[in-house]
Amino acid sequence: MAEYAKRDKQIEELECELEHRKALLAKKLGSLQVTAKTNTLLEDVVDDYKHYHSAIVEEKNRQREAMSNILEHLNKIVEEENLTDESLEHAKMQQHDILEELEQVKLSLSEILNSNHNINNEQSK
C-alpha cells in the first residue's frame, strides 16, 4: 500500500508542477503579446502561445464535463441500485473524490481564464 501512496504523492507533485508551468506560460503570453507590438518577429510565437492556451482551456472543459458525467452516473447508482452497505460507502467515497477533483479542475480553468482576461486588459491599456 505504501508503494501506491508514494506513486500518488509523485503524481500530485507532478500535477502541481504542471499547473505552475501553465500559469507561467500564461504570464509569458502576456509579455510576448506586449513585446510583439514592437517586434513583428514575435507574432508567430504569440500565435503559438494562444493556440496552446486554447488547447488547455478545451482540455479543462472536457475534464470538467467528463467528471460531471461520472458524478451523475454515480448519483444514479446510489439512488437506484440496491447496494450493500459496503458498496454504498465505496460509491460515496468515489463521489467525494470526484467532487474534489472537479473543484480542482474548475479552479484551474478559472485561473487560466482569469490570467487570459488580465492579459487582454493589460494589452488594451
Side-chain angles (χ1 to χ4, degrees):
M1 193 69 166
E3 185 177 319
Y4 290 120
K6 287 179 185 177
R7 188 192 66 180
D8 288 347
K9 181 70 175 165
Q10 287 176 332
I11 290 171
E12 189 176 308
E13 289 172 359
L14 288 172
E15 287 174 343
C16 182
E17 179 64 22
L18 180 62
E19 291 303 317
H20 174 72
R21 288 181 186 224
K22 286 178 182 178
L24 181 64
L25 284 173
K27 288 178 184 177
K28 286 186 178 187
L29 171 61
S31 299
L32 277 174
Q33 286 175 326
V34 171
T35 306
K37 289 180 181 179
T38 59
N39 186 343
T40 58
L41 296 175
L42 291 177
E43 289 177 1
D44 290 339
V45 176
V46 170
D47 289 340
D48 288 344
Y49 270 105
K50 284 181 180 179
H51 178 71
Y52 177 73
H53 183 269
S54 296
I56 291 172
V57 170
E58 288 176 23
E59 175 189 338
K60 290 295 179 184
N61 281 324
R62 284 192 304 269
Q63 284 178 340
R64 183 176 47 91
E65 185 176 328
M67 287 185 188
S68 294
N69 289 339
I70 292 169
L71 189 59
E72 183 179 319
H73 179 70
L74 276 173
N75 288 336
K76 284 181 182 179
I77 289 173
V78 168
E79 291 173 6
E80 297 174 0
E81 299 292 325
N82 292 327
L83 299 175
T84 64
D85 289 342
E86 185 178 321
S87 296
L88 183 61
E89 185 64 30
H90 182 69
K92 287 183 179 183
M93 286 175 47
Q94 287 178 329
Q95 283 176 317
H96 177 73
D97 292 346
I98 290 171
L99 282 171
E100 285 182 357
E101 186 66 27
L102 184 58
E103 279 303 312
Q104 288 298 320
V105 170
K106 286 180 180 179
L107 179 64
S108 177
L109 181 59
S110 177
E111 288 172 355
I112 291 167
L113 293 175
N114 284 338
S115 70
N116 189 43
H117 178 71
N118 292 339
I119 290 167
N120 290 335
N121 284 342
E122 195 173 294
Q123 286 181 336
S124 62
K125 288 182 181 179

